[in-house]
Amino acid sequence: MTAVTREVFGRMPQEEGGGEVEKFTLRSGSVKVEILSLGCIIAALETRGRDGVFSDVVLGFDTLEGYTRKHPFFGAVVGRVANRIAKGRFTVHGQDYQLFLNNGPNSLHGGARGFDKVLWSPQVLPNGVCFFRLSPDGEEGYPGDLQVWVTYTLNGEELAINYRAQTSKTTPINLTNHAYFNLAGQGSRDIYDHEISIEADSYLPVDSTKIPTGEVAAVQGTGFDLRQPVELGKHLQKFGLDGFDHNFCLQQEQARHLAARARHPPTGRAMEVHTTQPGIQFYTGNNLDGSLKGKGAVVYPKHSAFCLETQNWPDAVNKPHFPNTLLHPGEEYNHTTWLVFSTA
């Protein structure tokens, strides 16, 4: 059985339109997760270690104020298009669209005020919560009125995140959750002692602005071969890598498939990521720099967390040989990702 409770977490600043932010707590025997109506943010996620002790394994803030200031998308649902669009430009049906550039020369995670920065309308379910919003035609430069539903449900050790959307005009869409994990517990110094594996035979090389070059490269014989578990710190050292911020190419099918595993041997905590999406962005918190004070007043230095963002491939709207990212009127965007927690 999953218990679901709700409470007020705070009020948005007046310049952000005011409005009450609620926190929803989903609790099973083995997992507790807290989700905000602001940005559908996973604000806390507690899971048990080998010693039976629960620890919060996601980065974030204790108060709403942290989330209303600039931060690197901690725990949030990002959209309308997650990841990067080259030069913030794309063309649909012969019409050119220009988005806000918020990541060097590119548009990242929906633009200046993406889905992570807005209030969603919640509905409590027996084992979770469903959030809804209407992204109006022209919001952040995107075409069409887009209705979006994000549903979190908790069953035992499994947290499911379902994304649905319908549009009035053809639009690119790519939704994901941007939680930052450290299975040793948030606030732990680094993730070097984590073991990571990703079920991908290929990945997308990127240019200096993190836009895919268009090549789909085999992982075989490279530092991107994570098909067998690697200890992250040793692996980065061995291949002289500064970290990962790359899309790994998964099975091209809508059925549920295993995408990645993360394990922290000292505590025994493990997490599997299953999805219906064709890609997963593996990011090792390269841009964290210790300047942000998180929960419990801890700081978050470089490589103190990892993200496994299930998604379509970055810049797919400009690369016809990448999986389709356009949603047409009369169709439904519908993807699910499952996070399965265990102790080994």
Side-chain angles (χ1 to χ4, degrees):
M1 283 297 292
T2 300
V4 184
T5 57
R6 70 196 292 179
E7 62 190 273
V8 175
F9 188 65
R11 286 198 77 81
M12 291 295 283
Q14 279 313 117
E15 62 272 21
E16 294 279 330
E20 197 169 77
V21 178
E22 287 190 279
K23 179 174 80 177
F24 298 82
T25 302
L26 320 183
R27 194 193 302 257
S28 71
S30 45
V31 175
K32 175 186 164 194
V33 58
E34 298 176 356
I35 306 157
L36 306 182
S37 57
L38 170 68
C40 306
I41 287 169
I42 296 177
L45 198 158
E46 294 183 16
T47 177
R48 208 184 264 122
R50 196 184 293 114
D51 57 6
V53 174
F54 280 87
S55 274
D56 183 1
V57 297
V58 297
L59 275 53
F61 303 101
D62 289 320
T63 63
L64 178 59
E65 195 182 8
Y67 292 107
T68 57
R69 292 203 201 114
K70 187 172 166 54
H71 67 93
F73 305 97
F74 284 149
V77 165
V78 290
R80 194 175 288 200
V81 174
N83 216 307
R84 293 169 179 86
I85 293 179
K87 299 183 173 61
R89 279 190 215 136
F90 62 90
T91 304
V92 174
H93 298 330
Q95 186 169 345
D96 296 334
Y97 293 91
Q98 178 65 57
L99 310 172
F100 185 78
L101 305 181
N102 62 334
N103 186 246
N106 307 314
S107 183
L108 174 71
H109 294 330
R113 192 166 186 264
F115 288 6
D116 58 296
K117 296 178 180 70
V118 294
L119 283 177
W120 294 62
S121 302
Q123 181 191 352
V124 171
L125 307 173
N127 61 342
V129 58
C130 176
F131 297 99
F132 170 80
R133 81 172 297 250
L134 172 68
S135 171
D137 186 13
E139 183 175 62
E140 286 297 322
Y142 288 98
D145 286 329
L146 187 77
Q147 297 185 80
V148 194
W149 297 263
V150 176
T151 305
Y152 291 90
T153 48
L154 180 63
N155 290 297
E157 297 181 322
E158 183 174 276
L159 177 66
I161 312 173
N162 174 258
Y163 308 90
R164 287 174 52 225
Q166 296 165 358
T167 185
S168 65
K169 291 181 189 170
T170 300
T171 183
I173 180 171
N174 184 23
L175 302 177
T176 192
N177 178 282
H178 208 310
Y180 286 69
F181 293 95
N182 187 320
L183 298 180
Q186 73 87 28
S188 298
R189 187 179 65 252
D190 58 55
I191 48 171
Y192 299 141
D193 57 354
H194 283 57
E195 288 177 358
I196 301 283
S197 62
I198 298 179
E199 301 284 311
D201 296 328
S202 53
Y203 78 102
L204 301 181
V206 294
D207 67 16
S208 61
T209 73
K210 300 281 195 296
I211 292 289
T213 61
E215 180 192 1
V216 181
V219 299
Q220 182 79 36
T222 74
F224 295 87
D225 192 345
L226 304 176
R227 292 173 294 185
Q228 296 299 318
V230 302
E231 188 178 319
L232 199 53
K234 287 178 181 165
H235 185 81
L236 293 176
Q237 210 167 10
K238 176 182 173 182
F239 287 95
L241 297 169
D242 185 49
F244 289 95
D245 191 4
H246 294 79
N247 178 80
F248 287 76
C249 308
L250 306 173
Q251 295 173 26
Q252 302 291 298
E253 55 179 78
Q254 284 271 328
R256 173 175 173 161
H257 48 267
L258 175 67
R261 281 192 181 95
R263 187 168 156 263
H264 184 243
T267 60
R269 283 193 195 89
M271 177 177 85
E272 282 187 354
V273 182
H274 300 249
T275 190
T276 58
Q277 289 275 31
I280 188 165
Q281 186 87 0
F282 179 38
Y283 174 54
T284 48
N286 313 330
N287 297 322
L288 298 174
D289 59 7
S291 62
L292 284 175
K293 273 217 167 111
K295 290 180 270 194
V298 296
V299 295
Y300 296 136
K302 182 176 179 174
H303 295 165
S304 60
F306 65 89
C307 304
L308 288 165
E309 302 157 69
T310 54
Q311 57 181 20
N312 197 358
W313 300 4
D315 200 34
V317 70
N318 292 313
K319 300 204 166 45
H321 61 296
F322 281 11
N324 172 52
T325 190
L326 292 178
L327 179 68
H328 302 279
E331 297 175 345
E332 182 169 86
Y333 175 94
N334 194 333
H335 278 288
T336 306
T337 292
W338 296 264
L339 304 177
V340 186
F341 298 92
S342 60
T343 314

